[in-house]
Amino acid sequence: MCGIAGIQLRDEKLIPQLGSLMHEMVDGIVVRGPDSAGVAIYGDRELLPEEYSSVSLLDAPGDTRQRVAERLSHDADVSVENMSDTTFIRAKMPSDQLVALVREIVPEASVIGAGDDSVIYKGVGNPMDLRETYRLSDVTGWQGVLHTRLATESAVSAAGAHPYSVNGLSVVHNGSFANHATIRRDLEEKGLTFDSENDTEVASRYISYRMQQLGEDLQTAVEALSEEFDGFYTLLVTTEDSFAVVRDQYACKPAIIAEHPDWVAMASEFQAIAHLPGMEDAEIFEPGPGKVYTWKR
């Protein structure tokens, strides 16, 4: 049992309120996952100005700041900050270059997210405390995702926290996949590598592979996942321009969607999104079994 919540803003006037809206969302899903929590934020120009990119790490050594500063030039304007278990690095360069450099500089750390428009934090602890550590109420942007976890198939660890992010795509997941090991082996044979044993990482790398290597859009890639992955699940998948929701064919994991002219949101519990502005005018519905719902910025 885990908690999921996310929102995509359509009205630019709401961008400064993203963090405060997400801060309240935690109240509605913390009961579903007290062990750990993660967030993905898209479009926060304070955290990630134009021409900057980010990479988020777990298990980064204590001298990461020094190692990075010694390798990158002053023009890169590098900053390194610890956010719970996550070490967040920002620099003025494309994300692929930053990731390659960071992997070389601190090879013992695990990359859990990177992008030109997205920021990932993951950590162990009570989500109510972690939202303060992440300074969630202060963030801005056009899209955000939350996950609170109750570990059932792996240890309580930051590595097991969601979201799982690849190339700016993030997946949060309530449920489990029965055949994730088989799909992992298929992807490894195609040359993909994994940073954890978690089944959600398999889903994120599967979707990313189909989009990056096969040229599919998010809707098509998630539909393929729905056909190939067995299990009971609700997924929220986000990219740097899209937001998608899918449930398994039996739809046994809870999910509610609310769509408003100014925003679209989903959550495991309605109470997580009940506070959103204009909710009385929103279309509220339960996503159908096996159906993929996609919104694009």
Side-chain angles (χ1 to χ4, degrees):
M1 184 174 79
C2 297
I4 296 171
I7 185 168
Q8 183 184 99
L9 300 176
R10 295 166 166 172
D11 184 351
E12 291 191 358
K13 294 193 295 292
L14 292 174
I15 285 176
Q17 299 180 43
L18 177 67
S20 60
L21 297 175
M22 293 181 66
H23 190 272
E24 289 193 54
M25 285 179 173
V26 179
D27 292 328
I29 58 171
V30 65
V31 296
R32 298 191 59 84
D35 297 339
S36 56
V39 300
I41 304 296
Y42 294 82
D44 187 325
R45 289 304 169 211
E46 294 253 345
L47 284 171
L48 211 53
E50 296 283 354
E51 299 184 7
Y52 284 71
S53 65
S54 74
V55 59
S56 297
L57 305 175
L58 291 180
D59 302 318
D63 63 346
T64 295
R65 186 188 306 271
Q66 179 182 344
R67 292 195 208 179
V68 172
E70 288 174 352
R71 281 292 303 272
L72 297 182
S73 70
H74 179 74
D75 291 342
D77 189 25
V78 180
S79 63
V80 180
E81 185 175 12
N82 292 322
M83 306 290 282
S84 183
D85 297 279
T86 300
T87 298
F88 174 71
I89 302 174
R90 181 185 73 181
K92 193 174 183 180
M93 62 174 58
S95 59
D96 56 346
Q97 294 181 25
L98 180 60
V99 170
L101 280 167
V102 168
R103 287 190 186 277
E104 180 183 343
I105 295 167
V106 283
E108 60 268 54
S110 297
V111 175
I112 59 168
D116 299 313
D117 195 36
S118 59
V119 173
I120 305 292
Y121 301 140
K122 295 164 59 161
V124 171
N126 189 304
M128 302 294 278
D129 296 330
L130 288 170
R131 70 178 178 178
E132 305 303 328
T133 300
Y134 300 152
R135 299 192 293 273
L136 187 59
S137 61
D138 295 334
V139 306
T140 66
W142 63 272
Q143 182 169 266
V145 176
L146 290 163
H147 188 272
T148 62
R149 184 170 184 246
L150 176 64
T152 57
E153 296 189 7
S154 59
V156 177
S157 67
H162 302 198
Y164 282 87
S165 182
V166 184
N167 299 322
L169 175 146
S170 293
V171 176
V172 292
H173 175 201
N174 175 25
S176 62
F177 298 119
N179 62 337
H180 67 93
T182 299
I183 296 172
R184 177 194 296 266
R185 286 193 295 271
D186 291 343
L187 294 175
E188 287 174 336
E189 289 174 0
K190 293 179 170 68
L192 276 66
T193 58
F194 290 79
D195 295 311
S196 77
E197 297 300 317
N198 194 284
D199 58 344
T200 310
E201 185 185 1
V202 180
S204 67
R205 294 198 180 275
Y206 176 88
I207 296 170
S208 177
Y209 172 81
R210 297 193 73 96
M211 294 181 70
Q212 298 288 326
Q213 303 300 320
L214 305 184
E216 296 178 349
D217 60 16
L218 182 61
Q219 174 84 23
T220 304
V222 177
E223 286 174 349
L225 177 145
S226 184
E227 300 233 348
E228 187 163 350
F229 281 63
D230 293 330
F232 303 104
Y233 57 84
T234 294
L235 294 182
L236 172 58
V237 186
T238 52
T239 71
E240 294 185 341
D241 69 359
S242 300
F243 183 100
V245 177
V246 65
R247 301 166 86 191
D248 65 77
Q249 296 291 337
Y250 299 98
C252 64
K253 297 295 182 179
I256 191 79
I257 293 174
E259 189 166 7
H260 185 276
D262 295 340
W263 47 263
V264 60
M266 74 80 60
S268 300
E269 305 283 347
F270 177 72
Q271 62 202 32
I273 57 176
H275 65 285
L276 295 177
M279 178 59 78
E280 64 276 9
D281 299 318
E283 178 189 1
I284 302 169
F285 60 97
E286 183 179 351
K291 182 175 179 180
V292 178
Y293 301 80
T294 307
W295 296 266
K296 191 164 185 176
R297 189 182 182 201

